[in-house]
Amino acid sequence: MSYKILVLVSEAAKFRLDNHSIIPSALYREGHDVHIGDIDTLSVHDSVVVVDRVRLSEEYLTGNDFPALSEPYASAEDFDLVWVLTGTHPEALADSFQLLWLLNQRVPFVNDAAALFYLNSKITLGAAVPQANLPASYVSNDFEYLTGLVESDEDRTWVLKPTNEGCGAGVYFVGKNERNRPALLQAATGNAVPRYEMYSRNIIGLAKRYTAVQEYIPNVRENEKRVIIAGDVPVCGFRRFHFENDDRANVTLGTRFEGLTLTPEEDEFVRALGKRMMDLGIFYSGIDIAYPYVMEFNLVNPGGLNYSFRATGIDQSSETVNTVLAALRAAGKIS
């Protein structure tokens, strides 16, 4: 069955080996009518959601020039399905998601707009993951409270993460005896005290920032895996390794990785989590696990197909998009 599909990406000079080229190309290869749209051009014209877009006439691979968006302000509503593969600028976040939500009332999404907005965060992991499979986790903007938490046990180590960032940005590891602990906790929560002292709250307003604080799981260094889930099927992913002098393992920072192998227990767990994600409107995701724990979700543009291909030489993109579409059909999201 062929579908007319709008894939929303961020316009760039050239395609890279990532979802922006891999997924539209796989959909085109499988016989679908695929259009690429620039998410930052979404607008409403006389009650119709429109977007600058172009219809694919070939597969787009790494290094190809990004195509000219030859259809400005074309309807984004005359599609069978929309696949969102990018976020937008933080300054436009609310407007962008309101536009996506409006479009999603009229066209099915691979990942529902509301689910993308609410679940693509360190804050909301507990909505899908059982508490037993989450590290001890806290979200707060209170420097004093988090200081007390970290100081409460010198044998526990904690990971500070911005609630809505990725690729290893702003991730710190702290413990009670870490000399830079106060500075790191202060930075993670917005440096409110020094900023109020320098500028006063009357001038700069609220300086506090939320941060997610997770207990560090030691086995993450030996068993951290990114798993790509299509529907409830773990289609691919990769195992990643840590630098000797860095507890982060983001491959964007240059860490080593290899092809994914799941144990029977991991496979069963991921499939159950995929079913829970579908119930919440998510049919394509990447999750970071050190079984039995889940550290993060990646819902908008999860890296996995690209690194799996680099590690194994096997292109699993056609299998992945077909599995996503089959899950959407089974759930009654598309005909």
Side-chain angles (χ1 to χ4, degrees), residues 202-254:
N202 290 335
I203 294 174
I204 65 170
L206 182 67
K208 287 184 175 182
R209 285 203 312 260
Y210 281 95
T211 189
V213 182
Q214 288 183 344
E215 185 172 12
Y216 180 64
I217 304 302
N219 77 315
V220 74
R221 292 191 68 88
E222 288 75 41
N223 193 38
E224 184 170 2
K225 300 176 180 180
R226 164 68 57 85
V227 185
I228 297 298
I229 310 176
D232 63 347
V233 180
V235 287
C236 68
F238 56 97
R239 181 185 173 191
R240 52 195 189 183
F241 298 85
H242 294 245
F243 292 120
E244 287 299 321
N245 61 347
D246 194 336
D247 282 305
R248 297 174 300 172
N250 304 80
V251 292
T252 51
L253 302 179

Side-chain angles (χ1 to χ4, degrees), residues 155-292:
D155 294 325
R156 299 175 86 179
T157 305
W158 302 87
V159 186
L160 311 182
K161 301 179 180 181
T163 51
N164 289 286
E165 292 282 357
C167 298
V171 175
Y172 307 126
F173 290 76
V174 298
K176 178 178 181 178
N177 298 319
E178 166 59 54
R179 189 165 60 183
N180 284 327
R181 173 186 47 75
L184 294 175
L185 284 168
Q186 198 168 59
T189 52
N191 282 311
V193 171
R195 296 194 73 206
Y196 291 157
E197 180 65 25
M198 289 186 290
Y199 308 112
S200 88
R201 179 165 179 175
N202 290 335
I203 294 174
I204 65 170
L206 182 67
K208 287 184 175 182
R209 285 203 312 260
Y210 281 95
T211 189
V213 182
Q214 288 183 344
E215 185 172 12
Y216 180 64
I217 304 302
N219 77 315
V220 74
R221 292 191 68 88
E222 288 75 41
N223 193 38
E224 184 170 2
K225 300 176 180 180
R226 164 68 57 85
V227 185
I228 297 298
I229 310 176
D232 63 347
V233 180
V235 287
C236 68
F238 56 97
R239 181 185 173 191
R240 52 195 189 183
F241 298 85
H242 294 245
F243 292 120
E244 287 299 321
N245 61 347
D246 194 336
D247 282 305
R248 297 174 300 172
N250 304 80
V251 292
T252 51
L253 302 179
T255 57
R256 184 169 64 88
F257 56 92
E258 67 181 24
L260 178 70
T261 301
L262 295 177
T263 67
E265 293 80 11
E266 290 171 336
D267 184 84
E268 181 181 5
F269 172 72
V270 168
R271 290 175 186 271
L273 185 58
K275 288 183 170 61
R276 175 60 177 153
M277 299 289 279
M278 288 194 295
D279 290 341
L280 294 169
I282 297 294
F283 284 75
Y284 182 73
S285 61
I287 64 167
D288 295 337
I289 66 170
Y291 185 78

Side-chain angles (χ1 to χ4, degrees), residues 30-274:
E30 293 303 305
H32 303 287
D33 182 10
V34 184
H35 298 244
I36 288 181
D38 179 0
I39 195 171
D40 293 315
T41 65
L42 283 170
S43 309
V44 176
H45 287 188
D46 195 20
S47 298
V48 178
V49 181
V50 298
V51 70
D52 292 0
R53 73 187 202 202
V54 62
R55 185 180 187 182
L56 263 64
S57 59
E58 61 179 321
E59 294 184 37
Y60 285 103
L61 304 177
T62 304
N64 285 14
D65 291 338
F66 195 89
L69 300 175
S70 55
E71 300 175 72
Y73 298 128
S75 173
E77 299 182 10
D78 58 344
F79 289 91
D80 301 311
L81 185 67
V82 172
W83 198 328
V84 180
L85 285 178
T86 188
T88 190
H89 193 282
E91 293 295 328
L93 186 66
D95 293 322
S96 177
F97 270 102
Q98 287 161 2
L99 287 161
L100 289 171
W101 182 86
L102 177 62
L103 178 59
N104 197 186
Q105 305 313 296
R106 301 166 182 178
V107 185
F109 277 33
V110 171
N111 292 332
D112 288 348
L116 286 177
F117 182 78
Y118 286 111
L119 288 176
N120 196 46
S121 168
K122 281 84 171 174
I123 295 174
T124 52
L125 282 169
V129 182
Q131 186 175 358
N133 299 108
L134 284 175
S137 302
Y138 299 79
V139 176
S140 178
N141 63 5
D142 188 332
F143 167 74
E144 298 292 344
Y145 174 81
L146 294 178
T147 295
L149 173 69
V150 173
E151 288 183 343
S152 64
D153 188 342
E154 65 180 12
D155 294 325
R156 299 175 86 179
T157 305
W158 302 87
V159 186
L160 311 182
K161 301 179 180 181
T163 51
N164 289 286
E165 292 282 357
C167 298
V171 175
Y172 307 126
F173 290 76
V174 298
K176 178 178 181 178
N177 298 319
E178 166 59 54
R179 189 165 60 183
N180 284 327
R181 173 186 47 75
L184 294 175
L185 284 168
Q186 198 168 59
T189 52
N191 282 311
V193 171
R195 296 194 73 206
Y196 291 157
E197 180 65 25
M198 289 186 290
Y199 308 112
S200 88
R201 179 165 179 175
N202 290 335
I203 294 174
I204 65 170
L206 182 67
K208 287 184 175 182
R209 285 203 312 260
Y210 281 95
T211 189
V213 182
Q214 288 183 344
E215 185 172 12
Y216 180 64
I217 304 302
N219 77 315
V220 74
R221 292 191 68 88
E222 288 75 41
N223 193 38
E224 184 170 2
K225 300 176 180 180
R226 164 68 57 85
V227 185
I228 297 298
I229 310 176
D232 63 347
V233 180
V235 287
C236 68
F238 56 97
R239 181 185 173 191
R240 52 195 189 183
F241 298 85
H242 294 245
F243 292 120
E244 287 299 321
N245 61 347
D246 194 336
D247 282 305
R248 297 174 300 172
N250 304 80
V251 292
T252 51
L253 302 179
T255 57
R256 184 169 64 88
F257 56 92
E258 67 181 24
L260 178 70
T261 301
L262 295 177
T263 67
E265 293 80 11
E266 290 171 336
D267 184 84
E268 181 181 5
F269 172 72
V270 168
R271 290 175 186 271
L273 185 58

